[in-house]
Amino acid sequence: MKNILVRYGELTLKGNNRNHFITKLIQNIKFQLKEFKEEVVYTKDNNSLTLGVKEEVFDQVLARIQNVFGIYSLSIIEKSSLDFDEIANAVLKIAEKSSAKTFKLEVFRKDKSYPITSTEMKQKLAPLVLKNNQHLKVDVHHPELKIEVVIKKDHADIFDSRINALKGLPVGVSGKGLSLLSGGIDSPVASFLTMKRGMTVDFLHFMTPPHTSAEALTKVFDLAKIVAKYNYNRFSLFICNFTPLLEELNHIPNQTYKINIMRRMFVRIANQLAFKTNSKAIITGESLGQVASQTIESINTINSVSTLPILRPVLTYDKEEIIKISKQIGTYETSILPFDDACSMFVPKNPTTKPKLREAEFNEKDLLWEELLNHTVQNLIEEFVWINGEFVKKEEE
Ligand code: ATP
Ligand code: MG
């Protein structure tokens, strides 16, 4: 058995919500580790959780929990009773395993009733380490090895490193949002960043068969799968057939408004779907000024058809910054596969960069979009539910 200490970090600051957040976090961790039910034992205390993990699955468990939002940092710890000799043995064990030349000891007494003070502990432990490890020297400023001893109420934790985790908030504590997922680089990153603040994410993709291929659709499923490991345990991917509406958009008098009006249709559909499925926000991967259709004027004309707030987590990010995150979360290689989604295929030659709301409304006036939109929402959206690591098509009731 090896032990992993999980620190909650920011969660400890959240007043009344704290218990709710911690319960959610533990539930999310257990869900990520559900195939290791027999191999992991959970022990909770005030500011942390300890997982006792069987050696044979230790690496897998450590990798999995690093994808869970709401964990501040992790340490692989030696657990000891409060007996001084046992603590000293654990410290020596860590020192022996290390190839460092310099070290520093830190002792924290979470339980002040422990009879030996932190300073006394250090004064007793350091000479033991030096005696047992002739090659080690003390360096309090830049130690290669830092051994920390944390004295708690009924045991002590001893460890030598803190692994940075994803931080953020446990997914599920901030409700649910509907993310417009294209096959590109930006929208998976925007979805990930929304999950980071505790929001469960459902996805909505617009396809336009036969103009878009089966590969383009597979790519969208793959992207949703990749970010599933950060998402809540249950979520949906909605696939909307946008072809009838797209064909209607050919009748817009001013074709430079086509993309803008297409976006307005996307958002109208997203609003209707979100109300049905209890999502409280819409999420997009728009980034200010990235392309001609992502100006503040365009954002305004899009927002004006939305009742729900539209969250744009990467609005202020440079492309490079977005790419960096997409590589970290593993979506980049899939995003750059060359299969076009609805948007990239129908960019008119000169899309307007400064659309005006009145002009957009004027251009929609003579279209038959309302009937078509209702028809699309009612009949042309398929739902796929993430269950046990795969998408399962939801059949009509
Ligand atoms: P991405 O890399 O996310 O595709 P992009 O830079 O290519 O973004 P656009 O194609 O202009 O930008 O789309 C802006 C946003 O609109 C996307 O980030 C996504 O949220 C949404 N979107 C675009 N096309 C689709 C689609 N076919 N289905 C669902 N959402 C879409
Ligand atoms: Mg795109």
Side-chain angles (χ1 to χ4, degrees):
M1 200 80 141
K2 278 168 90 176
N3 294 297
I4 304 172
L5 181 77
V6 173
R7 296 185 193 84
Y8 311 144
E10 186 178 357
L11 297 188
T12 55
L13 306 171
K14 293 283 173 189
N16 290 341
N17 282 337
R18 191 168 174 270
N19 278 340
H20 168 57
F21 281 25
I22 291 172
T23 306
K24 198 59 140 189
L25 175 63
I26 295 175
Q27 187 188 326
N28 290 355
I29 292 174
K30 285 189 173 164
F31 185 80
Q32 284 298 328
L33 299 179
K34 73 175 185 310
E35 71 186 85
F36 306 117
K37 262 201 194 107
E38 306 296 319
E39 288 97 349
V40 183
V41 181
Y42 298 82
T43 323
K44 188 181 133 191
D45 67 33
N46 246 353
N47 297 308
S48 60
L49 170 76
T50 305
L51 310 187
V53 185
K54 288 206 176 135
E55 302 251 353
E56 61 268 25
V57 297
F58 185 81
D59 291 345
Q60 286 177 71
V61 167
L62 187 62
R64 290 275 177 94
I65 57 176
Q66 289 187 56
N67 297 327
V68 179
F69 282 123
I71 299 179
Y72 192 82
S73 70
L74 303 163
S75 287
I76 300 163
I77 60 168
E78 297 290 335
K79 235 174 154 174
S80 154
S81 73
L82 293 173
D83 175 61
F84 177 81
D85 289 338
E86 203 182 315
I87 294 175
N89 276 339
V91 170
L92 292 176
K93 195 169 156 191
I94 290 177
E96 255 158 44
K97 267 195 267 171
S98 165
S99 57
K101 295 195 181 59
T102 56
F103 85 106
K104 176 186 180 177
L105 265 174
E106 298 258 36
V107 179
F108 304 97
R109 233 176 8 148
K110 294 257 160 141
D111 180 13
K112 299 290 181 209
S113 68
Y114 190 69
I116 315 174
T117 68
S118 308
T119 318
E120 285 165 358
M121 273 301 257
K122 275 195 267 188
Q123 284 165 351
K124 289 172 88 166
L125 287 168
L128 291 177
V129 175
L130 291 168
K131 194 173 140 215
N132 275 265
N133 300 274
Q134 305 283 340
H135 63 285
L136 268 175
K137 285 198 177 64
V138 175
D139 180 346
V140 292
H141 300 297
H142 304 288
E144 286 172 32
L145 170 68
K146 185 159 104 181
I147 304 176
E148 298 181 53
V149 178
V150 182
I151 309 279
K152 295 182 170 172
K153 211 172 170 54
D154 55 4
H155 73 278
D157 292 336
I158 301 102
F159 53 90
D160 68 338
S161 70
R162 291 171 188 246
I163 304 166
N164 266 326
L166 284 181
K167 305 187 171 61
L169 298 175
V171 178
V173 300
S174 307
K176 187 166 75 167
L178 180 61
S179 181
L180 303 193
L181 185 68
S182 66
I185 295 170
D186 306 327
S187 43
V189 172
S191 310
F192 169 82
L193 291 172
T194 308
M195 293 170 203
K196 180 170 187 190
R197 296 312 300 169
M199 196 172 254
T200 304
V201 172
D202 275 350
F203 300 96
L204 169 60
H205 175 73
F206 297 98
M207 61 169 184
T208 48
H211 313 292
T212 50
S213 61
E215 284 96 333
L217 195 58
T218 305
K219 186 174 155 180
V220 169
F221 274 88
D222 288 345
L223 288 169
K225 266 182 209 165
I226 296 170
V227 291
K229 58 177 171 287
Y230 310 106
N231 207 350
Y232 199 55
N233 55 43
R234 200 184 160 96
F235 64 89
S236 293
L237 166 57
F238 297 94
I239 303 291
C240 174
N241 182 343
F242 192 73
T243 308
L245 271 163
L246 186 74
E247 278 161 8
E248 187 62 15
L249 297 191
N250 289 332
H251 306 299
I252 295 169
N254 180 349
Q255 281 292 306
T256 67
Y257 270 71
K258 190 169 168 188
I259 290 283
N260 192 251
I261 290 173
M262 179 165 89
R263 291 282 159 73
R264 284 160 61 89
M265 298 298 168
F266 282 2
V267 166
R268 285 174 171 125
I269 293 172
N271 268 269
Q272 289 201 21
L273 183 63
F275 281 119
K276 276 193 183 175
T277 55
N278 209 20
S279 270
K280 301 290 190 291
I282 290 162
I283 300 133
T284 78
E286 286 163 297
S287 163
L288 191 62
Q290 191 188 84
V291 291
S293 57
Q294 297 180 14
T295 59
I296 192 65
E297 289 81 0
S298 159
I299 286 172
N300 281 337
T301 56
I302 294 167
N303 281 4
S304 72
V305 297
S306 190
T307 313
L308 290 174
I310 302 178
L311 310 181
R312 297 178 170 91
V314 300
L315 187 85
T316 60
Y317 286 39
D318 292 343
K319 194 76 192 186
E320 246 180 69
E321 295 171 306
I322 302 174
I323 288 176
K324 190 170 161 204
I325 300 176
S326 79
K327 286 182 176 165
Q328 281 163 0
I329 66 176
T331 51
Y332 182 73
E333 295 302 328
T334 305
S335 289
I336 58 172
L337 292 173
F339 309 115
D340 283 337
D341 63 55
C343 245
S344 32
M345 295 189 72
F346 294 97
V347 184
K349 286 211 174 59
N350 304 302
T352 173
T353 55
K354 296 196 172 183
K356 294 188 182 62
L357 182 55
R358 283 175 66 180
E359 176 79 8
E361 285 169 351
F362 173 79
N363 271 279
E364 284 172 356
K365 194 167 58 68
D366 295 326
L367 300 181
L368 297 171
W369 66 265
E370 270 167 279
E371 295 84 338
L372 269 176
L373 196 130
N374 288 336
H375 171 73
T376 301
V377 172
Q378 275 157 29
N379 305 302
L380 300 182
I381 298 182
E382 287 187 332
E383 178 174 3
F384 296 84
V385 186
W386 183 253
I387 298 171
N388 291 331
E390 58 181 345
F391 282 111
V392 178
K393 184 163 176 220
K394 190 166 173 189
E395 298 304 334
E396 301 298 316
E397 279 100 274

